[in-house]
Amino acid sequence: MEREDYIHIINTLIGQIEEGVYIVDQDGTGLFYNKAMAAMEEIEVDDVIGKLFHKAFPGIGLNESTMYQALKKGVSTKNKKQTYTNLYGKSITTLNTTVPIKLGGRTIGAMEIAKDITHLENLSDTIQELSTKKTRKESAVAIGKPAIRRYTFEDIVGANEGFMRVVEVAKRAADNNASVFIYGETGTGKELFAQSIHYGGIRKDGPFMAQNCAALPEALLEGILFGTAKGGFTGAMDREGLFEQANGGTLLLDEISAMPYPLQSKLLRVLQEDYIRRVGGTSDIPVDVRIIATVNEPPEKLIAEGKLRKDLYYRLNVVNLVIPPLRERKDDIPLLVDKFLNKHSERFGKQVWMPTEAVIKTLSRYDYPGNIRELENIIMQSVAMAGDEHALSEKLLYMPVDIKQVGASAANWDRKGPLDDYLGNVEKEIIREVMIEESGNISRAAAVLKIKRQTLQHKLKKYGIKG
Ligand SMILES: Nc1ncnc2c1ncn2[C@@H]1O[C@H](COP(=O)(O)OP(=O)(O)OP(=O)(O)O)[C@@H](O)[C@H]1O
Ligand SMILES: [Mg+2]
């Protein structure tokens, strides 16, 4: 074979592998430099081949150059970690190995192999971060659940009498250590209440931990709650459970009815005795934890179905909060809409501050199976779609389609009273909407409504709508 053929074979080989490869001859001239290396270092292959290595990489001093060390001093460097910022500002971490290439006692070249370990590096950073977070006392991290927000009672918005009574009970509960049992459908604000009770109460300086009990196998959940002791089972390590981590604070147990039945008895025992034993451990560890438990179906039903232990329910239900679904307190809608308009306008840099009357009516006609969370999503999406308008009109309202159509149809409006008044209201609302949509421009609004400008002016005056 010719020399050219060998070069071709080696080029093909190193072109296929994921590691970066860079080979220089005894003078330091680049012989091989593969695409993987070029991608990591963001240099063109042609800028390296045939060039002296210290000319190709002028930024690296000879003494710190592992290539120089290998070539001139015969020194090998194995798996040296290097982190640098690439042209795009992205941080790259590589593991480099540089070795002299020797033939019969003579150094005929040097070779560097580099492996991009950036995402391995990120992964270990994440694990590191999670474990330090878990040991920080004020952290609300449960397994894989960082506390993104801390709610207080000030975040709870409402006007409905029944709802405000629930808020009052919750505020009183914040002043003591009694267990709290919250029942509310999905999205009614159970987490909001639980956090408010913790952060607004006497335990606010202690940790707040949360764990959803659904979809976890019994043994895993048990280990998460009570911790594990070394030697307890194969591979077990000494690890604190959530009870120990929440010591002096609050532990929120979400969807407690999803907790396997036998574990519910263990939990009851812990609550009665105020100490825990790690899985596989022998010593009793005293704990002082306030429990807040939630369910999203009526507790009586869950007990009857054998999903919630009656004795555990009685033990937890010292303070009982039942959060009514949104469809039973539609008088809260205007306040909630205001709150969410403000929140998301700020977030998206928009200025939608006011809902039109028609929008509030349309929103009030819907039943919200997803409760407050669903209402918030509707408002958020509407704000996101908005341009520079200041009012949330029907045009912007982003709702399940059929609801909006029902909303737009006057047939569903309150029809008590004289027909003329009713029609007048409909007309007024339609004109108001169009005026808002056309930013108060009477000629354009008249064109949209297909009526004369003068007629519109007359109606605006009649209904007291400002142009
Ligand atoms: N009364 C309220 N005032 C203001 N915001 C509320 C209110 N109730 C709920 N929210 C908001 O609605 C969203 C859902 O609330 P949260 O997560 O507390 O509900 P949840 O009952 O825990 O739901 P799930 O059963 O799905 O876990 C949150 O963004 C919360 O801030
Ligand atoms: Mg929740």
Side-chain angles (χ1 to χ4, degrees):
M1 243 192 280
E2 302 283 316
R3 183 183 138 89
E4 305 284 277
D5 297 336
Y6 283 112
I7 291 178
H8 183 69
I9 290 170
I10 295 173
N11 266 324
T12 310
L13 171 69
I14 65 172
Q16 293 302 311
I17 63 177
E18 282 177 15
E19 280 78 13
V21 177
Y22 179 24
I23 301 174
V24 297
D25 68 11
Q26 71 261 40
D27 303 322
T29 304
L31 292 177
F32 299 98
Y33 190 78
N34 71 351
K35 282 216 177 89
M37 197 66 136
M40 277 179 233
E41 298 188 310
E42 287 172 351
I43 293 188
E44 295 293 324
V45 172
D46 289 345
D47 291 339
V48 181
I49 302 272
K51 303 246 161 70
L52 288 171
F53 72 89
H54 55 271
K55 292 271 163 59
F57 300 95
I60 305 173
L62 286 185
N63 279 334
E64 42 179 305
S65 162
T66 49
M67 206 56 136
Y68 179 81
Q69 297 294 324
L71 203 57
K72 300 296 174 199
K73 306 203 170 149
V75 178
S76 296
T77 312
K78 290 260 160 74
N79 289 328
K80 183 178 180 199
K81 203 167 97 177
Q82 287 192 317
T83 300
Y84 57 94
T85 307
N86 74 13
L87 285 177
Y88 305 103
K90 192 179 155 216
S91 172
I92 307 271
T93 303
T94 56
L95 272 189
N96 296 0
T97 293
T98 316
V99 291
I101 305 170
K102 291 186 173 161
L103 187 67
R106 202 161 55 91
T107 299
I108 59 161
M111 171 166 72
E112 181 167 276
I113 300 171
K115 193 183 268 183
D116 185 347
I117 56 158
T118 307
H119 67 263
L120 275 182
E121 212 37 26
N122 290 345
L123 189 66
S124 74
D125 282 353
T126 311
I127 292 170
Q128 187 82 28
E129 246 168 54
L130 278 177
S131 49
T132 46
K133 259 192 198 153
K134 260 193 293 176
T135 52
R136 279 223 326 268
K137 269 292 177 252
E138 78 277 21
S139 144
V141 179
I143 307 299
K145 186 180 185 278
I148 304 159
R149 298 214 42 185
R150 287 177 171 197
Y151 292 116
T152 62
F153 284 110
E154 276 156 31
D155 295 304
I156 303 183
V157 166
N160 175 274
E161 227 179 281
F163 179 74
M164 292 318 285
R165 270 202 300 274
V166 181
V167 176
E168 279 314 306
V169 176
K171 280 185 179 162
R172 259 180 281 133
D175 294 333
N176 60 54
N177 288 315
S179 301
V180 180
F181 194 92
I182 308 179
Y183 158 50
E185 291 176 14
T186 179
T188 46
K190 296 184 292 294
E191 169 116 26
L192 179 62
F193 272 81
Q195 287 201 23
S196 300
I197 290 171
H198 174 80
Y199 290 116
I202 49 178
R203 292 193 162 229
K204 65 168 179 289
D205 295 325
F208 176 86
M209 307 295 291
Q211 179 61 46
N212 190 299
C213 303
L216 281 181
E218 185 175 347
L220 181 57
L221 185 55
E222 186 174 359
I224 289 173
L225 291 177
F226 305 126
T228 53
K230 199 168 181 166
F233 50 88
T234 325
M237 302 203 304
D238 270 321
R239 196 169 55 79
E240 274 191 338
L242 288 176
F243 267 90
E244 285 174 73
Q245 294 178 52
N247 202 16
T250 306
L251 175 58
L252 168 63
L253 295 174
D254 253 329
E255 288 189 68
I256 195 155
S257 53
M259 182 183 284
Y261 223 61
L263 199 49
Q264 291 190 22
S265 335
K266 286 186 194 160
L267 175 63
L268 177 61
R269 207 175 323 130
V270 166
L271 298 180
Q272 280 162 346
E273 295 169 355
D274 287 330
Y275 62 79
I276 58 113
R277 189 174 281 194
R278 290 184 183 177
V279 177
T282 47
S283 54
D284 294 328
I285 304 169
V287 284
D288 163 30
V289 174
R290 153 181 263 183
I291 301 290
I292 302 181
T294 78
V295 291
N296 46 29
E297 286 178 274
E300 302 72 29
K301 174 170 175 269
L302 291 166
I303 291 169
E305 287 172 351
K307 289 180 183 158
L308 176 64
R309 284 189 63 113
K310 203 175 187 169
D311 44 9
L312 177 64
Y313 172 65
Y314 286 133
R315 171 66 186 73
L316 289 173
N317 195 29
V318 182
V319 177
N320 176 266
L321 300 179
V322 178
I323 310 180
L326 185 55
R327 65 179 174 281
E328 287 172 16
R329 48 181 171 109
K330 289 189 175 170
D331 41 340
D332 280 347
I333 288 178
L335 278 179
L336 288 165
V337 170
D338 272 352
K339 180 188 163 113
F340 298 142
L341 279 178
N342 280 311
K343 175 173 161 189
H344 296 291
S345 279
E346 203 160 288
R347 183 170 151 211
F348 293 118
K350 304 280 172 80
Q351 283 160 357
V352 194
W353 309 123
M354 283 265 304
T356 64
E357 268 175 53
V359 158
I360 293 295
K361 279 184 181 152
T362 302
L363 286 169
S364 305
R365 255 189 300 277
Y366 184 49
D367 270 348
Y368 302 94
N371 290 292
I372 322 286
R373 184 181 292 116
E374 187 174 9
L375 174 63
E376 176 162 7
N377 280 339
I378 290 171
I379 302 299
M380 182 182 71
Q381 293 180 37
S382 304
V383 173
M385 308 291 278
D388 53 7
E389 46 275 84
H390 295 273
L392 174 66
S393 62
E394 295 250 20
K395 188 176 80 180
L396 281 181
L397 199 59
Y398 189 99
M399 289 193 77
V401 178
D402 47 339
I403 300 305
K404 194 164 173 190
Q405 274 162 1
V406 171
S409 132
N412 280 292
W413 287 22
D414 184 358
R415 267 175 295 171
K416 290 184 205 100
L419 180 64
D420 268 353
D421 291 358
Y422 174 66
L423 292 178
N425 280 332
V426 174
E427 190 177 55
K428 176 179 165 185
E429 212 38 55
I430 290 171
I431 291 175
R432 195 209 301 274
E433 287 279 345
V434 173
M435 284 298 286
I436 288 165
E437 279 162 22
E438 297 307 325
S439 312
N441 184 313
I442 298 177
S443 307
R444 282 211 311 265
V448 170
L449 293 164
K450 295 200 166 59
I451 54 176
K452 283 203 199 103
R453 202 188 128 90
Q454 290 87 332
T455 314
L456 178 56
Q457 259 166 338
H458 171 74
K459 288 184 190 293
L460 288 174
K461 212 165 160 197
K462 176 175 159 195
Y463 295 128
I465 301 171
K466 293 208 179 69

